Amino acid sequence: MNLLSNTGIRIALKWLLTALIIGAVLLLVDGKTLIREVARVPPSALAIGLVLGIGQVFLSAWRWRYTAGLLGLPIPYMQAVREYYLATFTNQVLPGGVLGDVNRALRHGADTDNRAAAAHGVAIERLSGQVVQAAVVVGGLTWLSITGRINGTDVTGADFPSPLSWLLAAVVVLALLGWFLTQKSSRVSAYFGTLRGDLTRALLSWPAFPVQVLTSLFVVTSYLAVFLVLASGAGYLNDLSSAVVIAALCSLLLLSMVIPVTVSGWGVREGAAVILWPMVGLPAEQGVALSVAYGALIFVSSLPGVLFLFNLPARRP
């Protein structure tokens, strides 16, 4: 009972923090302008974005199925789609943005009686996506800097990390992770030996690596495509250059959602928009409007996951 109570308190606090951050964002923008910008997005753009959101789930489910298959845990494609829908919906309504993936791994582990491999399959599938997303972010920041679209400071005058800084930070993190994975210590060493083997089979081997990268690139592209469709519908795109600027900024919004302090990135994503859009000479309200429309659209596209909420996996005999 205490565990359930503590969990409920943590969830309530995350929702409260989400509301507080969104409230702070609203204080930094003009409310009337924000409402007007959100209203500029036409129903046709929302419909196209919804179709793209559905496609994301089917493509991501294929990536997970491919990863699990390489680890010796085959899963029917439509079952993978159902489980991915459930995970996506859960991530949308529960704090942290990862509980749906944890549940997906647990359900798959219960169905296959191999919980470790099931957990690795989900983790590796998500890792491939995050690595590609980080590469897209670095590429976008580099383009913004080279073309002079971003001057290196935000609206408060604080220094903004250069693309080289982001790249060096990523290298340091990967180096520390590599060092940690190579440490020797009985049971921990045995576990990470298994993890290294699974990483090699499902991500770093041939043809797993190019398949994972290409699939993840399609997934990230579909995320950005939703933003671009919304931006186009609102009249924010004048030419190819403006589209690249919006895509680069939105890649940073996607990255901000990885920070697990709110519900489904709400608040953090909008706060990032408030900082990023003025850095390239665009109104903050435009960025927040895109962020709000994107968040609402992805939530709606995840609603089919409700249908599978109580569909428990059947254990093998």
Side-chain angles (χ1 to χ4, degrees):
M1 183 65 68
N2 288 336
L3 179 60
L4 292 176
S5 177
N6 291 337
T7 301
I9 291 174
R10 287 196 296 269
I11 292 176
L13 288 176
K14 286 291 183 68
W15 275 102
L16 177 60
L17 179 60
T18 301
L20 290 174
I21 295 177
I22 292 176
V25 169
L26 293 177
L27 292 176
L28 296 173
V29 299
D30 182 77
K32 293 182 178 179
T33 302
L34 176 59
I35 293 174
R36 185 170 64 248
E37 295 297 329
V38 172
R40 292 179 62 176
V41 181
S44 58
L46 294 175
I48 295 173
L50 184 60
V51 172
L52 288 171
I54 294 172
Q56 290 167 8
V57 174
F58 278 79
L59 185 57
S60 298
W62 186 93
R63 181 179 62 186
W64 175 41
R65 178 175 182 266
Y66 176 78
T67 305
L70 293 177
L71 298 180
L73 301 178
I75 178 173
Y77 179 59
M78 290 312 299
Q79 180 183 340
V81 170
R82 292 194 298 269
E83 292 295 325
Y84 220 99
Y85 256 122
L86 174 60
T88 301
F89 173 74
T90 305
N91 286 341
Q92 288 292 313
V93 297
L94 292 180
V98 296
L99 294 180
D101 297 306
V102 172
N103 183 56
R104 175 159 55 99
L106 291 174
R107 286 163 64 94
H108 192 205
D111 189 33
T112 60
D113 287 326
N114 193 338
R115 289 175 173 79
H120 292 170
V122 171
I124 292 170
E125 177 257 327
R126 290 302 302 269
L127 175 63
S128 69
Q130 296 298 334
V131 169
V132 170
Q133 183 174 312
V136 171
V137 167
V138 171
L141 285 173
T142 302
W143 185 86
L144 289 173
S145 297
I146 291 175
T147 58
R149 299 281 181 170
I150 194 167
N151 59 17
T153 60
D154 63 19
V155 291
T156 65
D159 290 336
F160 184 79
S162 66
L164 180 60
S165 300
W166 286 99
L167 182 59
L168 290 175
V171 170
V172 170
V173 170
L174 290 175
L176 289 174
L177 178 61
W179 173 82
F180 183 70
L181 292 177
T182 57
Q183 296 309 294
K184 305 293 184 182
S185 61
S186 61
R187 184 181 300 177
V188 173
S189 177
Y191 168 75
F192 281 110
T194 302
L195 177 59
R196 284 196 298 272
D198 288 346
L199 275 169
T200 299
R201 283 193 298 274
L203 181 61
L204 302 178
S205 62
W206 179 269
F209 183 75
V211 171
Q212 291 277 16
V213 169
L214 187 60
T215 306
S216 295
L217 185 59
F218 282 137
V219 172
V220 173
T221 300
S222 70
Y223 291 151
L224 296 179
V226 173
F227 277 111
L228 290 176
V229 166
L230 296 173
S232 178
Y236 299 158
L237 305 184
N238 302 316
D239 50 28
L240 179 60
S241 178
S242 63
V244 176
V245 169
I246 293 295
L249 294 176
C250 290
S251 70
L252 285 164
L253 294 189
L254 290 173
L255 186 64
S256 72
M257 294 172 62
V258 177
I259 304 173
V261 297
T262 63
V263 179
S264 189
W266 282 100
V268 174
R269 185 179 58 235
E270 288 71 34
V274 168
I275 295 175
L276 292 169
W277 260 249
M279 293 175 64
V280 296
L282 296 174
E285 289 80 6
Q286 288 188 9
V288 177
L290 282 178
S291 179
V292 170
Y294 175 85
L297 197 61
I298 294 303
F299 172 73
V300 172
S301 69
S302 75
L303 288 179
V306 177
L307 300 175
F308 314 117
L309 193 58
F310 302 104
N311 180 26
L312 298 178
R315 289 184 61 88
R316 292 180 177 177

